[in-house]
Coordinates of all heavy atoms in Angstrom, one line a residue:
F133 N -29.3 -0.6 14.5 CA -30.7 -0.7 14.4 C -31.2 -2.2 14.3 O -30.5 -3.0 13.6 CB -31.2 0.0 13.1 CG -31.1 1.5 13.2 CD1 -30.3 2.2 12.3 CD2 -31.8 2.2 14.2 CE1 -30.2 3.6 12.4 CE2 -31.7 3.6 14.3 CZ -30.9 4.3 13.4
D134 N -32.2 -2.5 15.0 CA -32.9 -3.8 14.7 C -34.3 -3.5 14.2 O -34.6 -2.3 13.8 CB -32.9 -4.7 16.0 CG -33.8 -4.1 17.1 OD1 -34.5 -3.1 16.9 OD2 -33.8 -4.7 18.2
D135 N -35.2 -4.4 14.1 CA -36.5 -4.2 13.5 C -37.3 -3.2 14.3 O -38.3 -2.6 13.7 CB -37.2 -5.5 13.4 CG -36.6 -6.4 12.3 OD1 -35.8 -5.9 11.5 OD2 -36.9 -7.6 12.4
D136 N -37.0 -2.9 15.6 CA -37.8 -2.1 16.4 C -37.1 -0.7 16.7 O -37.6 0.1 17.5 CB -38.1 -2.8 17.7 CG -39.0 -4.0 17.5 OD1 -39.9 -3.9 16.7 OD2 -38.7 -5.0 18.1
G137 N -36.0 -0.5 16.1 CA -35.3 0.8 16.3 C -33.9 0.7 16.7 O -33.2 -0.3 16.6
A138 N -33.4 1.8 17.3 CA -32.0 1.9 17.7 C -31.7 1.1 18.9 O -32.6 1.0 19.9 CB -31.7 3.4 18.0
V139 N -30.6 0.4 19.0 CA -30.2 -0.5 20.1 C -28.7 -0.3 20.4 O -27.9 0.0 19.5 CB -30.5 -2.0 19.8 CG1 -32.0 -2.2 19.6 CG2 -29.7 -2.4 18.6
L140 N -28.4 -0.5 21.7 CA -27.1 -0.7 22.1 C -26.9 -2.1 22.6 O -27.8 -2.6 23.4 CB -26.7 0.3 23.3 CG -26.6 1.7 22.9 CD1 -26.4 2.6 24.2 CD2 -25.5 2.0 21.9
L141 N -25.9 -2.8 22.2 CA -25.7 -4.2 22.5 C -25.1 -4.4 23.9 O -24.2 -3.6 24.3 CB -24.8 -4.9 21.5 CG -25.3 -4.9 20.0 CD1 -24.3 -5.6 19.1 CD2 -26.7 -5.6 19.9
T142 N -25.6 -5.3 24.6 CA -25.0 -5.7 25.9 C -24.6 -7.2 25.8 O -25.2 -7.9 25.0 CB -26.0 -5.5 27.1 OG1 -27.1 -6.4 26.9 CG2 -26.4 -4.1 27.2
F143 N -23.6 -7.5 26.6 CA -23.0 -8.9 26.4 C -23.0 -9.6 27.8 O -22.6 -9.0 28.8 CB -21.6 -8.8 25.9 CG -21.6 -8.3 24.4 CD1 -21.6 -7.0 24.2 CD2 -21.5 -9.2 23.4 CE1 -21.6 -6.5 22.9 CE2 -21.5 -8.7 22.1 CZ -21.5 -7.4 21.8
A144 N -23.5 -10.8 27.8 CA -23.5 -11.6 29.1 C -22.1 -11.8 29.5 O -21.2 -12.0 28.7 CB -24.2 -12.9 28.9
A145 N -21.9 -11.8 30.9 CA -20.6 -12.0 31.4 C -20.1 -13.4 31.1 O -20.9 -14.4 31.1 CB -20.6 -11.8 32.9
V146 N -18.9 -13.6 30.7 CA -18.3 -14.9 30.4 C -18.0 -15.6 31.7 O -17.3 -15.1 32.6 CB -17.0 -14.7 29.5 CG1 -16.4 -16.1 29.2 CG2 -17.3 -14.0 28.3
A147 N -18.5 -16.9 31.8 CA -18.2 -17.7 33.0 C -16.7 -18.0 33.1 O -16.1 -18.2 32.1 CB -19.0 -19.0 32.9
P148 N -16.2 -18.0 34.3 CA -14.7 -18.3 34.4 C -14.4 -19.7 33.9 O -15.2 -20.6 34.1 CB -14.5 -18.2 35.9 CG -15.8 -18.3 36.6 CD -16.8 -17.7 35.6
K149 N -13.3 -19.8 33.2 CA -13.0 -21.0 32.6 C -12.5 -22.0 33.6 O -11.6 -21.7 34.4 CB -11.9 -20.8 31.5 CG -11.5 -22.0 30.7 CD -10.5 -21.7 29.7 CE -10.1 -22.9 28.8 NZ -9.1 -22.6 27.8
T150 N -13.1 -23.2 33.6 CA -12.6 -24.3 34.5 C -11.3 -24.8 34.1 O -11.1 -25.1 32.9 CB -13.6 -25.5 34.5 OG1 -14.9 -25.0 34.8 CG2 -13.2 -26.6 35.4
P151 N -10.3 -24.9 35.0 CA -9.0 -25.4 34.6 C -9.1 -26.8 33.9 O -9.8 -27.7 34.4 CB -8.3 -25.5 36.0 CG -9.0 -24.6 36.9 CD -10.4 -24.6 36.4
T152 N -8.3 -26.9 32.9 CA -8.3 -28.2 32.2 C -7.4 -29.1 32.9 O -6.3 -28.7 33.5 CB -7.7 -28.0 30.7 OG1 -8.5 -27.0 30.1 CG2 -7.7 -29.3 29.9
R153 N -7.8 -30.4 33.0 CA -7.1 -31.4 33.7 C -6.3 -32.3 32.8 O -6.7 -32.6 31.7 CB -8.0 -32.3 34.6 CG -8.8 -31.5 35.6 CD -7.8 -31.1 36.8 NE -8.5 -30.2 37.7 CZ -7.9 -29.8 38.9 NH1 -6.7 -30.2 39.1 NH2 -8.6 -29.0 39.7
S154 N -5.1 -32.7 33.2 CA -4.3 -33.6 32.4 C -4.8 -35.0 32.7 O -5.7 -35.2 33.5 CB -2.8 -33.5 32.8 OG -2.6 -34.0 34.1
A155 N -4.2 -36.0 32.0 CA -4.7 -37.4 32.1 C -4.5 -37.9 33.5 O -5.2 -38.8 34.0 CB -3.9 -38.3 31.1
S156 N -3.5 -37.3 34.3 CA -3.3 -37.7 35.7 C -4.2 -37.1 36.7 O -4.2 -37.4 37.9 CB -1.8 -37.5 36.1 OG -1.6 -36.1 36.2
G157 N -5.0 -36.1 36.2 CA -5.9 -35.4 37.1 C -5.3 -34.1 37.6 O -6.0 -33.3 38.3
S158 N -4.0 -33.8 37.3 CA -3.4 -32.5 37.7 C -3.9 -31.4 36.8 O -4.5 -31.6 35.7 CB -1.9 -32.6 37.6 OG -1.5 -32.8 36.3
V159 N -3.7 -30.1 37.2 CA -4.0 -29.0 36.3 C -3.1 -29.0 35.1 O -1.9 -29.0 35.2 CB -4.0 -27.7 37.1 CG1 -4.2 -26.5 36.2 CG2 -4.9 -27.7 38.3
Y160 N -3.7 -28.9 33.9 CA -3.0 -28.9 32.7 C -2.4 -27.5 32.5 O -3.1 -26.5 32.5 CB -3.8 -29.3 31.5 CG -3.1 -29.4 30.2 CD1 -2.4 -30.6 29.9 CD2 -3.0 -28.3 29.3 CE1 -1.7 -30.7 28.7 CE2 -2.2 -28.4 28.1 CZ -1.6 -29.6 27.8 OH -0.9 -29.8 26.7
V161 N -1.1 -27.4 32.3 CA -0.4 -26.1 32.1 C -0.3 -25.8 30.6 O 0.5 -26.4 29.9 CB 1.0 -26.0 32.8 CG1 1.6 -24.7 32.6 CG2 0.9 -26.4 34.2
E162 N -1.2 -24.9 30.1 CA -1.3 -24.6 28.7 C 0.0 -24.0 28.2 O 0.5 -23.0 28.8 CB -2.5 -23.7 28.4 CG -2.8 -23.6 26.9 CD -3.4 -24.8 26.3 OE1 -4.2 -25.5 27.0 OE2 -3.1 -25.2 25.2
G163 N 0.6 -24.5 27.1 CA 1.7 -23.9 26.5 C 3.0 -24.0 27.3 O 4.0 -23.4 26.9
A164 N 3.1 -24.8 28.3 CA 4.3 -24.9 29.2 C 5.4 -25.7 28.4 O 5.1 -26.7 27.8 CB 4.0 -25.5 30.5
R165 N 6.6 -25.2 28.5 CA 7.7 -25.9 27.9 C 8.2 -27.0 28.9 O 8.1 -26.8 30.1 CB 8.8 -24.9 27.6 CG 8.5 -23.9 26.5 CD 9.7 -23.1 26.2 NE 9.4 -22.1 25.1 CZ 10.3 -21.3 24.6 NH1 11.6 -21.3 25.1 NH2 10.0 -20.5 23.7

């Protein structure tokens, strides 16, 4: 319930995550050994 009555929540789509770059400009591999 909100102030105006019953509601169902909707959620905006999450934008795709931009790949993180390493200091050299390559794609950073998260958690890589």
Side-chain angles (χ1 to χ4, degrees):
F133 288 121
D134 67 5
D135 291 340
D136 297 317
V139 296
L140 289 175
L141 299 178
T142 61
F143 295 81
V146 178
K149 187 177 179 181
T150 302
T152 304
R153 297 287 173 177
S154 70
S156 70
S158 65
V159 175
Y160 187 86
V161 183
E162 191 71 37
R165 294 183 179 181

